[in-house]
């Protein structure tokens, strides 16, 4: 096919801080392909950018400077607007990144692309054999393709070389070394802090398909509608299940049709994946836009007890001296992980896990480990067996983090992401038998008790009214989380076989 000319090089400052201030270098270079790389200038030939002079001397930039972050994107001006990120599978695999519960804005299409929203851009992402392409369908007024490159690079955290980190982790941990060939490119996103925070407030005591619905309703009601180009007009959403977890395959019916001119027959297969409309696209509402959302309105929209927490968190952030955006930015750039986690924990509806998610997925706290039942199980199985059987208190949660950080270092949150994905039901089933974490031993059978006839909705409201998840604002996927000192511990409730099966199928989020 036609070669792709390279766009203006995006400096490390733009890659790392494009959300805060876009600063694009003006250097342009000629087309570069794998064949031409040998004769390219050194910084392009190696396929990575070095450290840029004048880049901010923050802890984050210093920690990744030696890793040589990925180079600027390659723009195809003639091929329908698709742009190459220049990221091999060791750096980014979309199926290991977008549908695993970091973000709830991405939709898989019948073409196999992912379509989602990054800020005020609607973007399609396409996985290639050893690269990822993107295509922008709308962008903010006054911006161009160079700004697109910076925004996409920032969102995918391309200032960090996952490949370099993975090599280090493989040397430090035998299990990671065995998983690495099966799960490349499990990259951490760098989302807008407000979007990430409120998305995970919606995640409390919830499963991924319902979280998607809540986030989309929040955007449609309070965000800004984004008008896309015609390229998306015939795109269809592949499945109603946004996790990307494969559905059970239906047997395709074959019909024999008599041809008009002879006695030959032709087998035709029904297409059972015609897809659904993608629908409209909206930016995630700013905290100022969310200020128009009342608790009553949110309850009417199906947010349940989370309505109180969304409205309360908006009010608390709006009262910050310099405003919500400046406050969240200060947590990203000026506070340590534990300081940022504690600050977020003061907001209504934010427990330790939700705070850790926001820190890892949006605030550059690369060591953060969001501890839920899945992480707890894999950690006690492989990294801290001495904590097995203990109640999951905040102190023990910290001990889990410390154990994982001891093995994987400053970017332990990134390493844990690969370990976590390996525990997802459909991923685990595809792994070699020896790499699957063994299931927990079944407890001895006792006289069976009648299962409650209460619906999940009734149970949820009971917890809220009784001061459970409703007071804490968070349920760690079966582990009741409460910041109140008098309750101070988390115990996993007994679950039916059906409930356990449902957890394995739908709890694919951190």
């Amino acid at each position: 096919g036609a070669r792709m000319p390279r766009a203006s090089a995006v400096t490390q400052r733009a890659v790392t801080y494009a959300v805060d201030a876009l600063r694009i270098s003006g250097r342009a270079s000629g087309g570069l392909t794998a064949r031409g790389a040998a004769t390219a200038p050194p910084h392009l030939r190696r396929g990575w950018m070095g450290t840029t002079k004048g880049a901010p001397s923050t802890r984050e930039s210093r920690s990744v400077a030696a890793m040589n972050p990925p180079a600027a994107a390659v723009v195809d001006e003639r091929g329908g607007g698709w742009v190459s990120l220049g990221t091999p599978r060791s750096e980014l695999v979309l199926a290991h990144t977008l549908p695993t519960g970091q973000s709830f804005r991405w939709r898989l299409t019948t073409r196999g692309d992912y379509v989602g929203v990054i800020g005020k851009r609607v973007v399609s992402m396409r996985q290639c054999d050893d690269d990822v392409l993107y295509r922008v369908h709308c962008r903010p007024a006054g911006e161009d393709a160079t700004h697109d490159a910076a925004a996409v690079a920032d969102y995918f955290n391309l200032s960090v070389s996952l490949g370099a980190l993975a090599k280090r982790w493989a040397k430090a941990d035998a299990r990671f070394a065995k998983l690495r060939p099966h799960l490349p490119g499990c990259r951490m996103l760098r989302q807008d802090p407000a979007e990430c925070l409120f998305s995970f407030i919606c995640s409390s005591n919830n499963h991924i398909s319902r979280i998607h619905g809540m986030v989309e309703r929040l955007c449609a009601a309070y965000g800004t509608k984004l008008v896309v180009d015609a390229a998306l007009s015939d795109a269809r959403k592949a499945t109603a299940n946004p996790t990307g977890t494969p559905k059970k395959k239906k047997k395709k019916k074959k019909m024999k049709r008599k041809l008009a001119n002879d006695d030959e027959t032709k087998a035709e297969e029904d297409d059972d994946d015609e897809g659904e409309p993608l629908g409209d696209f909206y930016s995630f509402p700013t905290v100022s836009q969310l200020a128009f959302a009342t608790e009553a309105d949110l309850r009417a929209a199906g947010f349940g007890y989370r309505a109180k927490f969304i409205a309360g968190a908006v009010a608390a952030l709006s009262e910050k001296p310099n405003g919500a955006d400046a406050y969240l930015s200060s947590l990203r750039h000026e506070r340590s992980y534990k300081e940022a986690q504690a600050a977020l924990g003061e907001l209504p509806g934010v427990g330790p896990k939700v705070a850790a998610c926001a820190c890892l997925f949006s605030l550059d706290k690369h060591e953060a480990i969001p501890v839920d039942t899945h992480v707890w199980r894999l950690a006690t199985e492989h990294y801290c067996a001495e904590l097995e059987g203990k109640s999951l208190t905040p102190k023990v949660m910290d001990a889990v983090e410390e154990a994982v950080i001891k093995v994987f270092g400053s970017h332990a949150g990134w390493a844990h992401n690969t370990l976590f994905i390996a525990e997802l039901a459909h991923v685990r089933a595809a792994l070699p038998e020896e790499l699957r974490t063994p299931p927990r031993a079944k407890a001895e059978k006792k006289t069976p008790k009648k299962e409650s006839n209460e619906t999940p909705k009734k149970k949820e409201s009971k917890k809220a009214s009784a001061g459970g998840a409703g007071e804490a604002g968070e349920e760690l996927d079966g582990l009741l989380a409460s910041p109140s000192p008098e309750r101070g511990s988390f115990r996993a409730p007994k679950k039916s076989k059906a409930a356990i099966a449902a957890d394995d199928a739908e709890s694919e989020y951190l």
Side-chain angles (χ1 to χ4, degrees):
R3 292 184 178 181
M4 297 182 182
R6 183 172 291 275
S8 299
V10 183
T11 66
Q12 183 167 337
R13 178 183 296 221
V15 171
T16 310
Y17 295 98
V19 169
D20 302 317
L22 288 170
R23 298 192 179 184
I24 314 300
S25 69
R27 292 176 300 168
S29 61
L32 183 67
T33 65
R35 293 179 182 176
T39 58
H43 70 289
L44 296 179
R45 182 169 64 246
R46 67 177 183 263
W48 304 87
M49 290 192 303
T51 306
T52 303
K53 280 189 176 182
S57 57
T58 63
R59 179 181 58 187
E60 291 81 10
S61 62
R62 285 198 303 271
S63 66
V64 301
M67 297 178 189
N68 296 324
V74 179
V75 180
D76 181 6
E77 301 290 358
R78 300 159 293 177
W82 285 102
V83 181
S84 168
L85 274 181
T87 49
R89 290 181 66 82
S90 61
E91 291 296 330
L92 175 60
V93 173
L94 297 177
H96 296 165
T97 303
L98 297 181
T100 55
Q102 295 186 60
S103 168
F104 307 100
R105 305 302 311 279
W106 294 93
R107 313 168 194 181
L108 182 65
T109 74
T110 53
R111 300 169 179 170
D113 301 332
Y114 290 91
V115 180
V117 180
I118 300 176
K120 291 189 176 180
R121 289 173 169 80
V122 176
V123 183
S124 288
M125 305 297 303
R126 175 172 293 177
Q127 186 72 53
C128 298
D129 289 341
D130 203 33
D131 195 5
V132 170
L133 307 180
Y134 71 88
R135 182 177 187 176
V136 175
H137 302 284
C138 74
R139 63 172 65 94
E143 296 191 2
D144 57 23
T146 306
H147 295 83
D148 295 341
V152 173
D154 181 84
Y155 183 82
F156 283 97
N157 239 327
L158 296 189
S159 63
V160 178
S161 172
L162 177 58
L165 288 170
K167 288 180 182 178
R168 184 193 306 170
W169 298 329
K171 291 178 181 178
D173 179 57
R175 174 165 175 77
F176 188 92
K178 293 175 182 177
L179 286 172
R180 184 184 171 201
H182 302 281
L183 292 172
C186 301
R187 178 165 285 278
M188 304 307 308
L189 302 176
R190 189 176 191 257
Q191 301 174 65
D192 173 78
E195 175 176 343
C196 186
L197 175 63
F198 285 100
S199 294
F200 278 94
I201 289 177
C202 291
S203 78
S204 93
N205 191 27
N206 219 342
H207 59 72
I208 198 166
S209 58
R210 195 157 173 249
I211 302 167
H212 267 266
M214 286 185 176
V215 170
E216 288 306 316
R217 290 198 296 277
L218 205 62
C219 294
Y222 304 102
T224 302
K225 189 172 183 178
L226 304 174
V227 180
V228 299
D229 59 24
L232 277 182
S233 61
D234 60 343
R236 306 278 291 179
K237 187 166 60 174
T239 173
N241 178 7
T243 65
T245 305
K247 290 185 174 182
K248 289 183 179 179
K249 292 183 179 179
K250 297 179 181 178
K251 291 182 179 179
K252 292 184 177 180
K253 298 178 181 178
K254 291 186 177 181
M255 299 181 299
K256 290 187 176 181
R257 185 180 65 187
K258 191 89 170 178
L259 296 182
N261 299 328
D262 53 43
D263 292 334
E264 289 181 289
T265 59
K266 181 179 180 180
E268 294 183 347
E269 291 186 348
D270 288 339
D271 185 0
D272 60 354
D273 190 16
E274 295 178 355
E276 303 172 2
L278 284 173
D280 296 326
F281 293 89
Y282 299 85
S283 64
F284 195 91
T286 64
V287 175
S288 298
Q289 288 174 314
L290 283 175
F292 292 99
T294 66
E295 181 182 342
D297 290 340
L298 292 169
R299 283 188 179 275
F303 285 81
Y305 65 82
R306 302 166 195 83
K308 176 181 178 181
F309 301 134
I310 294 170
V314 168
L317 288 171
S318 299
E319 292 173 358
K320 297 299 179 183
N322 296 316
D325 292 340
Y327 176 72
L328 292 173
S329 180
S330 72
L331 296 185
R332 174 184 275 182
H333 297 301
E334 300 170 14
R335 303 285 190 91
S336 68
Y337 163 43
K338 286 302 179 183
E339 289 171 343
Q341 185 185 38
L344 291 174
E346 295 173 359
L347 299 173
V350 180
K353 194 206 95 177
V354 165
C357 286
C359 285
L360 180 61
F361 304 151
S362 70
L363 297 181
D364 296 344
K365 312 310 179 193
H366 305 300
E367 70 271 36
I369 311 287
V371 180
D372 64 3
T373 53
H374 299 285
V375 176
W376 170 248
R377 288 168 189 160
L378 76 87
T380 54
E381 180 69 31
H382 301 289
Y383 301 103
C384 46
E386 69 278 6
L387 299 178
E388 173 72 34
K390 295 197 176 200
S391 296
L392 194 57
T393 62
K395 183 176 180 180
V396 173
M397 291 171 74
D398 287 342
V400 171
E401 279 192 326
E402 289 170 8
V404 179
I405 290 172
K406 184 177 180 180
V407 176
F408 296 105
S410 63
H411 285 65
W414 288 58
H416 120 281
N417 186 44
T418 298
L419 302 172
F420 171 83
I421 291 171
E423 301 301 315
L424 301 182
H426 72 283
V427 176
R428 185 173 63 241
L431 290 173
E433 185 70 33
E434 65 273 13
L435 293 183
R436 300 176 196 170
T437 298
R440 296 283 172 174
K442 292 182 179 179
E444 292 183 11
K445 288 186 178 180
K446 296 182 180 179
T447 305
K449 295 181 180 179
K450 290 184 179 179
E451 289 194 21
S452 171
N453 291 323
E454 290 179 317
T455 63
K457 190 172 183 180
K458 286 181 181 177
K459 288 182 179 179
E460 178 181 305
S461 61
K462 273 194 172 185
K463 285 175 184 174
S465 60
E471 290 295 326
E474 178 174 11
E475 182 153 323
L476 303 184
D477 189 26
L479 300 177
L480 187 60
S482 171
S484 57
E486 63 269 21
R487 201 186 284 116
S489 68
F490 316 85
R491 293 189 182 277
K494 293 179 180 178
K495 293 186 178 183
S496 66
K497 290 181 179 179
I500 293 170
D503 281 348
D504 285 340
E506 294 208 83
S507 60
E508 298 186 4
Y509 62 95
L510 287 169

